[in-house]
Amino acid sequence: MPRDSELRRESIVQMATNGLANVDELSAHFGVTASTIRRDLAQLERSGALARTYGGAMALVAHPESSLRQRVGEQFEAKRAIARWAASRIGAGETVLLDAGTTTGALAHELHSVPALTVVTTGMTALQELAVSDTVTVECLGGVLRPRSLGFIGPLAEAALERRTFDRVFLGADGVTAQEGICEADIRQTRLKELMARRSDRVYLLAHGAKIGRRPFHAWAPMPSQWTLVTDLSAREADLEPFRDRGVTVVVADADGVAVPARGEAGRTDRRQAAEPAEQVD
């Protein structure tokens, strides 16, 4: 039987494949001292299992980025729940900005019948979803197509953003944390998302539970001071609390796209979560 230390080191390597492994976080997770974690990291580095960084460690092999086509069928019900809630925020005559991605694509699917709606997007998925709509005006920001995400990026997209504002902005992510913001594989993606988030006072990040607190890559987009995280019932309360603590509005949508109360202490309802669903659509 492997010793506890060996099992812990195996776990540390696995955690490092999902992003940076921080000494303090690992110490708290395993219930051991920071010195013990540093010894583990030193041994793992000597064995070639990972690379030491300031304050932690990271995997030697980058976390593989799946293509958009691979992600289309993943977490389908969760994405649909999130999309239904997000669609309920959008009213006739609005101009909204949709990021590239499968969850924003699911949102586009819900918008076919919204009258006099203008959808501006950076993603092929939203373009394809709304191409046959008779009521929605569809615009593409342009730029260079990134094949892996089927999203447009680069200076042309950024220049187009500088000349527009929106009633609402809906972003996607490969991962999101309360401290760093949006995590993506490509720094050009995070640069564009950061600019997108500046173009409206109402910014929503659509991310199913498996993405909350996840750090699969090392490119980040900071979020504005006020924004809304929209997720599904698979999200753990422990993972959502850091967002609430930083003043982020958190919405958890059920299968029908209805926001549910925070599942915390003795039926506690979080005021920041409850505020967003009460918004009146113009």
Side-chain angles (χ1 to χ4, degrees), residues 49-63:
L50 48 71
R52 294 288 297 277
T53 66
Y54 181 78
M58 62 181 292
L60 290 173
V61 179
H63 191 283

Side-chain angles (χ1 to χ4, degrees), residues 98 107-112 117 119 125-134 136-138:
L98 301 189
L107 171 56
H109 181 76
E110 301 290 329
L111 302 179
H112 283 267
L117 177 66
V119 173
T125 305
L127 289 174
Q128 293 167 347
E129 284 286 353
L130 293 169
V132 297
S133 174
D134 294 327
V136 180
T137 300
V138 184

Side-chain angles (χ1 to χ4, degrees), residues 236-257:
R236 301 186 308 165
E237 277 299 308
D239 292 333
L240 298 177
E241 278 304 313
F243 294 92
R244 295 192 179 100
D245 291 343
R246 294 178 75 90
V248 177
T249 299
V250 176
V251 173
V252 179
D254 67 12
D256 296 319

Side-chain angles (χ1 to χ4, degrees), residues 142-144 152-159 188 192:
V144 177
F152 293 94
I153 57 174
L156 290 179
E158 294 172 11
R188 296 171 298 175
L192 186 61

Side-chain angles (χ1 to χ4, degrees), residues 3-9 11-12 15 22-41:
R3 293 182 302 171
D4 289 346
S5 58
E6 293 172 347
L7 292 172
R8 186 176 61 247
R9 287 166 191 151
S11 297
I12 290 173
M15 292 170 71
N22 179 273
V23 169
D24 292 335
E25 292 175 352
L26 292 172
S27 175
H29 179 82
F30 292 106
V32 297
T33 66
S35 297
T36 297
I37 293 297
R38 291 190 186 95
R39 286 195 294 271
D40 287 339
L41 296 180

Side-chain angles (χ1 to χ4, degrees), residues 113-168:
S113 59
V114 180
L117 177 66
T118 297
V119 173
V120 183
T121 185
T122 61
M124 289 292 294
T125 305
L127 289 174
Q128 293 167 347
E129 284 286 353
L130 293 169
V132 297
S133 174
D134 294 327
T135 64
V136 180
T137 300
V138 184
E139 301 178 15
C140 180
L141 283 182
V144 177
L145 182 64
R146 187 173 183 270
R148 200 124 190 105
S149 62
L150 293 183
F152 293 94
I153 57 174
L156 290 179
E158 294 172 11
L161 269 178
E162 292 175 356
R163 291 162 174 80
R164 300 294 298 270
T165 57
F166 305 92
D167 294 298
R168 304 173 196 273

